[in-house]
Amino acid sequence: MNLPLVGYKLILSYCGTGFRGWQKQGQLPTVQRFLEEAVAKIWETNIHVEGASRTDAGVHAKGQVASFIAPRKHEAEVVQRALNYYLPDTIRVLHVRVVSKEFHARFHAISKTYQYWIWNDPVMDPFYLWRAWHIPRQLDIKGMNEATRLFVGKKDFASFVSYPGFVLKDTTKTVFDCGFTVQGQLCLFTIKADGFLYRMVRNIVGALVKIGLGRLDLEKLKVIFESKNRKLSPASAPPWGLYLMKVDYPPDMEINH
């Protein structure tokens, strides 16, 4: 009896420390590799798993989305329990939904939300090691928030994209909202856009921290933005402060099957 093929949509949380990022690279420890190995144990065959975002080495996720197509031999709750059984403790499947086999985690995403964590205190909290970027000097949060307005809207982010290993045809993205909030010593930068270029968030944060430390002013940042030259932009923020928080999809792609 041939079982019908369906789509499975997963929402994942993982601690990126110790992983070489999302994308499979042979036998290196990556999130995609461990997830595909877990799926293969359940279905007893190799199945490709697609991720909404190819997070870099050391980057974390609280709302990564993945999808794959497989015969409907298990309901969503069973798949969730089985995946978490086979996965390392640092990767957890928070939710599973059976969707149309047309659903694609990356191609159908309409927006993504990232957050970057900064620990702004002379003393680093050891519980935030490899979870937040330690900036010991006091940051000018008001000045940083004023500078974030420069990034909102449909803009060319050529000055804030690192070379991904291939020529980018288009460096234009639409940022819907971004800004800093403060929770004690933790400074959170949240940004939502229709998509992100390679290291775009980390490059933006690197520049905004320079603003916050008084080492870069808003006028100079505008010049950097308009130059469309990555070489003029400040260094990238480290990967361990970055979190993929949420991926949004059209409502018609969220229907249960």
Side-chain angles (χ1 to χ4, degrees):
M1 178 177 161
N2 291 326
L3 296 169
L5 291 174
V6 294
Y8 284 90
K9 177 194 172 190
L10 318 177
I11 298 178
L12 304 162
S13 179
Y14 50 84
C15 172
T17 309
F19 292 118
R20 295 290 292 271
W22 163 268
Q23 196 164 2
K24 195 162 61 172
Q25 303 170 54
Q27 289 304 302
L28 292 175
T30 67
V31 180
Q32 186 183 36
R33 177 199 146 191
F34 286 118
L35 191 55
E36 288 190 351
E37 287 177 356
V39 169
K41 286 174 182 174
I42 298 168
W43 271 270
E44 299 178 325
T45 187
N46 292 328
I47 295 172
H48 175 69
V49 178
E50 189 65 61
S53 182
R54 296 172 181 175
T55 52
D56 288 342
V59 174
H60 315 291
K62 286 178 171 283
Q64 169 75 287
V65 176
S67 64
F68 61 91
I69 299 167
R72 189 170 186 167
K73 63 187 287 190
H74 302 293
E75 290 306 310
E77 297 79 5
V78 176
V79 172
Q80 181 186 11
R81 286 197 301 272
L83 286 172
N84 283 329
Y85 177 80
Y86 289 119
L87 285 166
D89 291 340
T90 46
I91 305 173
R92 292 293 88 182
V93 177
L94 305 178
H95 184 73
V96 175
R97 175 178 282 176
V98 179
V99 293
S100 164
K101 64 178 185 291
E102 308 303 321
F103 176 80
H104 192 286
R106 184 157 59 98
F107 296 150
H108 290 134
I110 54 174
S111 70
K112 298 173 188 175
T113 302
Y114 277 89
Q115 206 166 64
Y116 196 94
W117 296 11
I118 297 169
W119 187 261
N120 190 209
D121 189 81
V123 179
M124 181 62 180
D125 185 330
F127 288 98
Y128 282 96
L129 280 173
W130 306 111
R131 305 288 190 280
W133 185 16
H134 183 209
I135 303 291
R137 281 186 55 200
Q138 186 174 354
L139 290 167
D140 174 14
I141 303 299
K142 183 180 178 183
M144 291 161 73
N145 264 329
E146 286 175 1
T148 62
R149 297 173 193 163
L150 190 62
F151 298 97
V152 178
K154 188 175 183 179
K155 306 282 179 75
D156 187 337
F157 287 91
S159 296
F160 300 93
V161 55
S162 297
Y163 178 58
F166 55 88
V167 177
L168 288 167
K169 293 180 181 178
D170 186 14
T171 50
T172 301
K173 295 293 177 186
T174 301
V175 172
F176 302 116
D177 191 29
C178 68
F180 288 90
T181 55
V182 177
Q183 298 177 7
Q185 293 97 330
L186 199 60
C187 179
L188 307 174
F189 174 68
T190 306
I191 182 167
K192 179 179 180 179
D194 61 355
F196 292 91
L197 301 163
Y198 185 53
R199 291 190 182 170
M200 176 175 152
V201 180
R202 289 166 54 195
N203 292 337
I204 288 172
V205 171
L208 291 171
V209 164
K210 290 286 188 186
I211 293 272
L213 293 172
R215 297 173 185 167
L216 183 69
D217 60 41
L218 187 55
E219 289 308 310
K220 177 62 176 174
L221 183 61
K222 288 177 181 175
V223 171
I224 291 169
F225 209 132
E226 290 164 7
S227 74
K228 300 178 185 177
N229 185 351
R230 171 67 193 142
K231 292 179 181 178
L232 298 181
S233 196
S236 179
W240 53 81
L242 186 59
Y243 296 76
L244 174 58
M245 302 298 290
K246 192 171 188 280
V247 185
D248 294 306
Y249 296 91
D252 61 337
M253 298 304 300
E254 300 282 358
I255 298 170
N256 289 320
H257 278 250

